[in-house]
Structures are given as structure tokens and as C-alpha cells.
């Protein structure tokens, strides 16, 4: 049965989109109001930049609502600020301080919130509503857990998703941490490190522009580490466990005031230098002695059944970090298939063909020694990419076939590479092997 207020809330969504269209028209008309060629060029650039901010609206303009005690009007939360013709607020940007209780209010600390309502949307259509009172109970409709699990279980595609509608309290706390000292975020596979980093960049830009319109944020991924000439107000580095001391120092010189956010997982370190803990990294950062080290514990991507196969490796590769806690369960147990050595790739391809008939992305992960150049392009085998463990770091797939773990572990950082490979799937894991599986798996 649908939520009793679904129709009324759909009307509010429709009104919000009508306001967005009016705001877009205002920008378009402003672009034609310039007097002179130079002014027109400047106004065109301004209009193009403003219009780009409307693009996210079609992915779901608003995703929640807050009701407060002693406040008659509800507060609607979304991807951007929306106002009506009188300038009255219709939707508040998720990055604004007013939206904070949507992510942080709890029964223990309700922050004057009496009702938190979440919307499940598809484009402009409202599909369902989940209500949560701040005494910890739920009301009519779906539950928050239903919404989050549905999002986690959706088939993957080649684009990274934003998580603004399902940001969890532990993630929001790090996204919005004041940038007054270096912040190091340790997170295992599927804990949302990269998403946290990108949303932190968005939040910093939004927040800092109130103070300084020219504030700049640099987001770095290890393959992009070069020698940019400019300095930035804040630097965010993903997969930082793969950076050498020299690279860490170089990045540190790009921040004006030592404002850094470092994200990574020391257990997945496969660079030329590996670190047992973030304490080994801090000396190479500006103000490293003042840095805060935080940990994302909940693994939202990897199901418990798959995570449990990989976790024993941590006893060897990163005994000092806490084990990630899988948020969801119910996936199939990993399929372990022993085959003759000469049949490894053939049987792996058979598994890939079977899984390619399911919804979602499929990847075949092999040791470097079994990477056949003719098959490495994704179009070579029914659009299933053939990849090495180092190439899949930071990626996720619905279905994964890992080939010959014993050969992977013969590399210098082999156990870490195996940990990366085994934690890529969101639904299905198949291990095809001929040699005995590594003893570190504890099987």
C-alpha cells in the first residue's frame, strides 16, 4: 500500500520543478541583456556556469523533508537551492547548515526534529516515502534501511553515483569536518571513501565561497600526481596509501595552509612504498602532527558473504586496522572452482559468459602473467573487461571472477592485490584456481 501522503508530496515535487524551470528561464533571459561585445561575452560565461548548476535536478531534485517542533513549515532537502517567485525557499541545498539534522539527528540528539522523511524518486516521479520519528520508530511506508539497501543493490554502470540522498551519519561527519587541520580517512573496501572525498570537495566549495569566492579545491588521484604550479585552499587526495614520501611532500606543498584531506586504505597499498599504518604517513604531511585520523567502518558495497572470504588476509597485510563491517547480507556464497591449470582461462570465460547474462557489470581479474593482450580490451569477450588487480583498485562490479589467487600472491604486494581483487563485487564472486589457495585465506 502506498504512503497516504504520496500524492501531496508529488504535488510539492512538481511545484519545485516548476520553480526550477522559472529560475532557469531567468538565467537565460539575463544572458541576452548585455550591452556591448565584452559585456555579452562575460554574461554568456556567467549564464553557462549558472545553467550548469541546474543539470543535477533531473536526477532527483529533492530527496527528503524535516519537520521541527514549534515550526509550522517543513524543510525540504535536495541537490540545490530552489526558491519561488517571491524568493521564498522551496528546497534547501543539502550542503547548507540548515540541512545538517537530516543527516545527524538521532533519537538521543533529535536537534528539534520531530519527523525525518525520505523520498525515493525516479527523475521527477516520487516512488515511495520512508518516515522516521525521532523516538526511533518508523511510520507508514518503507524504512530507511529499505531505501539504502535498494540503492546498494542496484546494478552498477560505468558512472560514479552521488550519494547525497543516502549519506550516512558517519560519512556526513567527515564530509563536513572543519578544514582547520589535516584529516586522514581510513576506509576498507566499499566504505565510501571516494564518495566521501568528492562530496567533501563539493561541501568545501559551497561553504568556503561564502567566505571567499575565489577559494580553490584540488582533488588528486595518484595517477594524476604531477607538478601543478598553483597552490590551493584545500587539497583532497584519494588512494593516498599508494603515494611515496616524495609524492606526499609534493602534494603538501600545494596547499596554502596545510589544509588536506587524505583518503585511503593501508590494506590496499600496492605502491612502491607501503605503510603499516597512517602513523607512517603523517610525518610527510604539513602539520601531520596535528592531523586527525578517522575510520569508516561500515562497508556498504561488499556483501558479508564475500567480505568474509577476504577479511582473513588483513591479519597479514594490515593487522593494525579494524576490520570493515559489512552492512548487508544475503548474497550467494563465493563460488570456488578448482580446474586443471591448462583450463584456467577457458573456465573463467565460461563463468564470465554465464554472469554476463545477469544484470550489471562483470569483470574478470587475472594475474599479470595471464593477461593476454588480445583479450584485454573490453570488446574482446562479450564486453567483459580483462583486468589485473592493480587496474581494478577503486572500481566496483556486480559480478567478479578472480583467477588463480596463488599466482597473484607471488607478486611483491601479492596478498594486498588479492585483497583488492576479492573485494570488488557487489553481488557475485567466483574464484577459478588450479593451485592450492593461499593459506592466508584460512580455508
Amino acid at each position: 500500500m502506498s504512503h497516504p501522503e504520496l500524492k501531496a508530496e508529488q504535488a510539492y515535487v512538481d511545484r519545485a520543478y516548476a520553480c526550477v524551470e522559472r529560475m532557469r528561464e531567468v538565467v537565460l533571459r539575463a544572458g541576452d541583456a548585455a550591452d556591448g561585445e565584452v559585456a555579452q561575452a562575460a554574461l554568456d560565461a556567467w549564464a553557462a556556469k549558472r545553467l550548469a548548476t541546474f543539470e543535477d535536478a533531473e536526477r532527483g531534485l529533492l530527496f527528503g523533508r524535516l519537520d521541527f517542533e514549534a515550526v509550522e513549515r517543513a524543510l525540504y532537502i535536495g541537490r540545490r537551492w530552489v526558491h519561488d517567485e517571491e524568493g521564498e525557499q522551496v528546497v534547501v541545498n543539502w550542503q547548507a547548515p540548515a540541512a545538517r539534522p537530516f543527516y545527524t539527528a538521532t533519537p538521543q540528539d533529535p536537534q528539534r526534529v520531530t519527523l525525518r522523511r525520505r523520498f525515493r524518486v525516479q527523475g521527477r516521479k516520487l516512488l515511495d516515502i520512508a518516515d522516521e520519528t525521532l523516538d526511533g520508530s518508523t511510520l507508514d511506508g518503507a524504512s530507511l534501511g529499505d531505501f539504502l539497501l535498494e540503492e546498494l543493490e542496484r546494478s552498477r554502470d560505468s558512472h560514479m553515483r552521488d550519494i547525497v540522498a543516502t549519506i550516512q551519519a558517519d560519512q556526513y561527519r567527515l564530509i563536513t569536518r572543519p578544514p582547520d587541520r589535516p584529516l586522514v580517512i581510513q576506509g576498507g573496501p566499499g566504505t565510501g571513501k571516494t564518495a566521501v572525498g568528492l562530496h567533501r570537495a563539493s561541501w568545501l566549495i559551497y561553504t568556503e565561497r561564502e567566505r571567499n569566492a575565489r577559494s580553490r579545491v584540488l582533488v588528486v588521484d595518484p595517477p594524476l600526481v604531477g607538478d601543478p604550479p598553483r597552490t590551493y585552499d584545500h587539497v583532497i587526495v584519494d588512494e593516498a596509501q599508494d603515494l611515496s614520501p616524495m609524492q606526499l611532500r609534493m602534494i603538501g606543498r600545494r596547499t596554502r595552509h596545510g589544509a588536506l584531506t587524505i583518503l585511503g586504505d593501508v590494506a590496499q597499498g600496492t605502491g612502491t612504498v607501503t605503510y603499516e599504518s597512517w602513523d607512517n604517513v603523517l610525518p610527510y604531511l604539513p602539520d601531520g602532527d596535528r592531523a586527525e585520523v578517522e575510520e569508516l567502518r561500515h562497508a556498504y558495497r561488499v556483501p558479508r558473504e564475500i567480505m568474509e572470504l577476504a577479511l582473513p588476509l588483513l591479519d597479514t597485510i594490515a593487522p593494525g586496522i579494524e576490520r570493515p563491517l559489512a552492512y548487508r547480507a544475503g548474497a550467494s556464497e563465493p563460488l570456488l572452482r578448482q580446474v586443471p591449470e591448462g583450463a584456467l582461462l577457458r573456465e573463467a570465460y565460461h563463468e564470465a559468459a554465464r554472469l554476463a547474462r545477469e544484470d550489471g557489470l562483470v569483470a574478470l581479474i587475472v594475474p599479470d602473467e595471464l593477461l593476454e593482450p588480445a583479450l584485454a580490451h573490453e570488446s574482446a569477450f562479450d564486453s567483459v573487461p580483462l583486468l589485473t588487480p592493480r587496474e581494478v583498485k577503486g572500481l566496483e562490479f556486480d559480478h567478479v571472477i578472480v583467477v588463480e589467487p596463488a599466482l597473484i600472491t607471488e607478486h611483491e604486494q601479492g596478498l594486498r592485490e588479492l585483497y583488492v581483487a576479492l573485494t570488488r563485487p557487489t553481488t557475485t564472486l567466483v574464484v577459478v584456481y588450479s593451485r592450492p589457495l593461499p593459506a592466508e585465506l584460512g580455508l
Side-chain angles (χ1 to χ4, degrees), residues 118-120 128-130 142-151:
R118 299 178 191 264
F119 300 146
R120 182 162 62 88
D128 207 349
I129 293 173
S143 70
L144 166 61
D146 294 336
F147 280 17
L148 180 55
L149 285 173
E150 182 175 281
E151 173 64 20

Side-chain angles (χ1 to χ4, degrees), residues 104-122:
T104 61
T106 65
Q108 296 75 29
D109 179 24
Q111 300 170 41
R112 299 178 57 234
V113 175
T114 58
L115 175 72
R116 175 163 44 209
R117 173 168 289 180
R118 299 178 191 264
F119 300 146
R120 182 162 62 88
V121 299
Q122 186 174 53

Side-chain angles (χ1 to χ4, degrees), residues 89-295:
Q89 167 197 297
V90 177
V91 181
V92 67
N93 191 316
W94 72 271
Q95 300 156 317
R100 176 178 288 269
F102 185 75
Y103 300 105
T104 61
T106 65
Q108 296 75 29
D109 179 24
Q111 300 170 41
R112 299 178 57 234
V113 175
T114 58
L115 175 72
R116 175 163 44 209
R117 173 168 289 180
R118 299 178 191 264
F119 300 146
R120 182 162 62 88
V121 299
Q122 186 174 53
R124 299 189 176 201
K125 184 177 181 181
L126 181 58
L127 301 178
D128 207 349
I129 293 173
D131 282 344
E132 178 188 6
T133 61
L134 269 293
D135 61 3
S137 64
T138 57
L139 301 176
D140 293 327
S143 70
L144 166 61
D146 294 336
F147 280 17
L148 180 55
L149 285 173
E150 182 175 281
E151 173 64 20
L152 294 173
E153 291 170 359
R154 276 203 296 138
S155 296
R156 268 50 193 167
D157 56 31
S158 58
H159 302 287
M160 186 172 182
R161 309 172 188 173
D162 72 41
I163 61 169
V164 291
T166 55
I167 290 172
Q168 301 301 291
D170 60 337
Q171 297 172 327
Y172 183 85
R173 180 172 55 86
L174 299 178
I175 289 170
T176 59
R177 180 68 61 87
D180 55 353
R181 64 177 64 187
L183 173 63
V184 177
I185 301 175
Q186 159 65 32
T191 54
K193 296 183 298 297
T194 300
V196 166
L198 292 176
H199 286 76
R200 179 160 173 75
S202 175
W203 179 83
L204 284 167
I205 292 170
Y206 178 90
T207 304
E208 289 297 303
R209 76 178 180 184
E210 301 297 321
R211 180 183 62 83
N212 178 6
R214 302 183 65 181
S215 179
R216 295 183 299 191
V217 176
L218 173 66
V219 180
V220 180
D221 185 67
L224 304 172
V225 174
D227 193 26
R230 298 190 295 181
T231 58
Y232 296 80
D233 296 274
H234 200 96
V235 176
I236 298 175
V237 187
D238 196 15
E239 302 289 356
Q241 75 279 346
D242 287 334
L243 297 178
S244 69
M246 182 184 297
Q247 290 171 318
L248 289 166
R249 287 194 179 99
M250 183 193 73
I251 288 173
R253 290 196 296 269
R254 302 308 164 198
T255 172
R256 288 196 181 98
H257 312 293
L260 280 167
T261 298
I262 301 292
L263 305 106
D265 180 9
V266 293
Q268 297 184 59
T270 57
T272 55
V273 178
T274 57
Y275 307 96
E276 292 185 4
S277 75
W278 291 106
D279 289 339
N280 303 128
V281 175
L282 299 183
Y284 306 112
L285 302 179
D287 294 330
D289 57 332
R290 298 179 59 242
E292 297 177 284
V293 180
E294 298 282 356
E295 197 156 358

Side-chain angles (χ1 to χ4, degrees), residues 13 22 29 56 100 151 165 179 284-285 329 346 385 415 428 431:
V13 171
R22 183 193 57 78
R29 288 198 303 270
D56 275 356
R100 176 178 288 269
E151 173 64 20
Y284 306 112
L285 302 179
R346 183 178 70 245
L415 287 173
T428 309
V431 179

